[in-house]
Amino acid sequence: MTYLVTEACIKCKYTDCVEVCPVDCFYEGENMLVINPDECIDCGVCEPECPTEAILPDTEDGLEKWYEINEKYAALWPNITEKIDALPGADDVQDTPNKLADLSAKPGAGT
């Protein structure tokens, strides 16, 4: 089992999860984070820290595409190990459904 970042993170990018991760397995894109499934140790400490409930265990049904997205972008984006500010307007869009089309493939800055 591993944890995955899902659609709710897009256009929000809260990083409370990054701050508690003991193995630094988060990677930063322009408008979301992902978890490297090969680095995640399945401890689960990140899941309750996410204010948008975007982090889920891969054992939940229907997360196959999110496994692929996390795996793909973790290999392309820089590692993030420190908390940064959420994206402007994150509070306004955190409950917006169907944000996958808004996912940017561009990397973030990393820390």
Side-chain angles (χ1 to χ4, degrees):
M1 183 178 83
T2 187
Y3 284 83
L4 303 170
V5 181
T6 62
E7 187 169 35
C9 185
I10 298 171
K11 296 175 75 175
C12 292
K13 201 165 76 169
Y14 294 100
T15 56
D16 305 69
C17 52
V18 169
E19 194 170 51
V20 299
C21 181
V23 294
D24 298 332
C25 65
F26 283 88
Y27 291 80
E28 182 187 11
E30 179 180 45
N31 69 352
M32 83 170 287
L33 303 174
V34 294
I35 293 173
N36 184 326
D38 294 328
E39 295 174 359
C40 178
I41 61 170
D42 313 329
C43 67
V45 297
C46 59
E47 185 180 21
E49 297 300 317
C50 181
T52 64
E53 300 179 2
I55 300 173
L56 300 172
D58 72 345
T59 53
E60 289 199 18
D61 290 338
L63 294 183
E64 295 81 13
K65 74 177 171 191
W66 290 104
Y67 187 97
E68 293 172 11
I69 287 170
N70 278 251
E71 185 176 51
K72 174 183 177 179
Y73 289 112
L76 299 173
W77 292 346
N79 190 239
I80 181 169
T81 60
E82 297 175 9
K83 184 176 178 174
I84 60 172
D85 292 336
L87 294 175
D91 291 341
D92 299 328
V93 298
Q94 68 179 350
D95 295 323
T96 302
N98 305 318
K99 295 191 288 183
L100 182 56
D102 296 321
L103 172 61
S104 171
K106 294 179 184 177
T111 59

